[in-house]
Amino acid sequence: MAQFTVMGAGIFGLSAAWALARRGARVRVIEATRIGAGSSGGIVGALAPHVPENWNTKKAFQLDSLLMAEGFWAEVARISGRDPGYARLGRVQPLADQAAVTRARERGENARDLWQGRAEWRVVPVDQVPGMRLSSPTGLVVHDTLTARMRPRGAAEALVAALATKGVTVEIGGEPSGQVLWATGVQGLRDLGIGAGVKGQAALFRADFRAAPQLFAEALHVVPHADGTVAVGSTSEREYDSPDSTDAQLEALIDRVRALCPDLAQAPVIERWAGVRPRAPSRAPMLGAWPDRPGHFVLNGGFKIGFGMAPKLAELAADLLLEGWDQVPEGFRVSDNLARR
């Protein structure tokens, strides 16, 4: 049986390793420093769809992956005995004016068709949505039922434990053998000479709204988790001095969310986090052969949507490595990104 090595123990690498191992492949996972060392070790975990309009390949692919996620993570939880923190509880967004209400209702009509009847995008009075208090200038909000949450570190822990049941452990340091899948985040983009890292800062509050939908307002994701915390993020910084330190930008974000959500006004901040997310030139994830390196493949670039895209990308990576079956959409290919250099 062929040997496969997955380089990188972030969400893409671990999910792909799991997709390979569950099909019976011999897999090694090698990580340079620690599990979830990059953005996969963050705290926010919002699995949110793009708006249901101007439909394209990326949005359709994301929809498929988000719909796969519940089954994917339920299986990982069952086999690993660990809770990845997945729950599809939806998302609430305030509507600022009548134009926003009209646009939201149009998107709701689109969602009826585009989301295949498996989720809704609906306009409702703000007081009809349970959970954290949120003001809306119009008294109305969008409530979509597709958005889910994920505890990033819990997802990594569950995948590592599931892989262990297949005899796969994560090695810290080491040289690859066999066919190699490079899922190495920002460093992998640098090695290819494409893309860049975008720093994000986030905060974790002690506040128990575990059964509530998440909020999206003023470009902030406010995500309640099952452990009695609420994560808020993130900044988006193209230029930065230190990749993993927090600063005044995060303090300003904390002040904004306290003003936005009365239920967090007095809640203590128990963690401040910073990390760099891999952003490919296409802004879509990328998967495919590494040019001029036979037997080497790339899975990278999940900027802001990596956790939501991981279930389907993992299956496509397994198809490609095990069967040579290339189902990678246009725009997601490594060559598409190299052409943008």
Side-chain angles (χ1 to χ4, degrees):
M1 183 182 296
Q3 170 76 54
F4 300 92
T5 302
V6 176
M7 300 296 290
I11 185 60
F12 278 1
L14 292 172
S15 296
W18 173 243
L20 289 164
R22 68 192 291 274
R23 297 194 200 181
R26 292 172 55 220
V27 184
R28 299 171 65 208
V29 180
I30 298 176
E31 166 57 42
T33 55
R34 67 183 187 279
I35 294 165
S39 57
S40 294
I43 57 178
V44 178
L47 281 62
H50 289 91
V51 295
E53 65 182 9
N54 301 322
W55 207 239
N56 56 31
T57 300
K58 180 180 176 182
K59 291 184 178 183
F61 188 99
Q62 185 199 39
L63 172 65
D64 289 345
S65 194
L66 290 172
L67 292 173
M68 287 173 60
E70 187 166 10
F72 179 91
W73 290 112
E75 180 186 45
V76 170
R78 177 177 59 81
I79 292 174
S80 69
R82 304 289 185 90
D83 179 11
Y86 177 89
R88 184 174 148 185
L89 298 174
R91 175 183 58 172
V92 175
Q93 304 175 67
L95 295 169
D97 52 34
Q98 188 56 48
V101 172
T102 299
R103 187 163 57 250
R105 287 182 170 140
E106 291 171 351
R107 289 170 173 169
E109 294 292 330
N110 293 340
R112 288 189 179 91
D113 296 325
L114 297 171
W115 288 1
Q116 306 164 20
R118 300 176 67 183
E120 294 182 295
W121 174 287
R122 58 197 183 196
V123 174
V124 298
V126 66
D127 59 5
Q128 288 187 13
V129 181
M132 289 179 286
R133 290 174 291 167
L134 179 69
S135 62
S136 171
T138 60
L140 298 171
V141 295
V142 169
H143 181 210
D144 84 72
T145 61
L146 180 56
T147 297
R149 72 180 182 209
M150 171 64 62
R151 188 168 64 86
R153 295 166 193 169
E157 291 166 2
L159 282 166
V160 169
L163 285 164
T165 70
K166 305 292 186 183
V168 181
T169 58
V170 178
E171 307 168 32
I172 303 300
E175 295 298 322
S177 56
Q179 295 192 70
V180 184
L181 180 66
W182 294 85
T184 46
V186 173
Q187 184 58 52
L189 295 181
R190 293 185 183 129
D191 292 341
L192 282 164
I194 59 174
V198 179
K199 181 177 176 179
Q201 300 184 52
L204 192 66
F205 292 77
R206 175 64 66 192
D208 194 346
F209 291 92
R210 65 188 68 198
Q214 60 192 262
L215 310 178
F216 182 70
E218 298 182 12
L220 294 177
H221 293 276
V222 183
V223 185
H225 288 290
D227 60 357
T229 63
V230 176
V232 181
S234 297
T235 64
S236 191
E237 305 165 42
R238 296 287 189 92
E239 297 182 2
Y240 50 88
D241 295 322
S242 173
D244 55 4
S245 64
T246 62
D247 56 31
Q249 293 182 73
L250 180 57
E251 300 312 307
L253 182 153
I254 291 169
D255 289 343
R256 284 172 57 206
V257 79
R258 288 194 190 281
L260 181 67
C261 300
D263 293 310
L264 297 180
Q266 302 301 319
V269 175
I270 59 174
E271 183 178 351
R272 289 167 168 82
W273 178 89
V276 181
R277 298 159 292 183
R279 182 185 183 277
S282 68
R283 295 198 61 166
M286 61 180 180
L287 170 63
W290 189 321
D292 303 319
R293 294 182 68 170
H296 290 245
F297 301 84
V298 175
L299 176 57
N300 206 325
F303 179 59
K304 292 187 177 181
I305 55 175
F307 275 84
M309 293 287 210
K312 186 166 184 178
L313 283 167
E315 293 301 321
L316 263 61
D319 288 338
L320 183 61
L321 271 67
L322 289 170
E323 311 293 343
W325 190 13
D326 185 348
Q327 301 183 86
V328 181
E330 294 297 327
F332 283 48
R333 299 177 182 276
V334 176
S335 57
D336 296 330
N337 285 274
L338 291 173
R340 295 173 178 242
R341 285 188 294 189

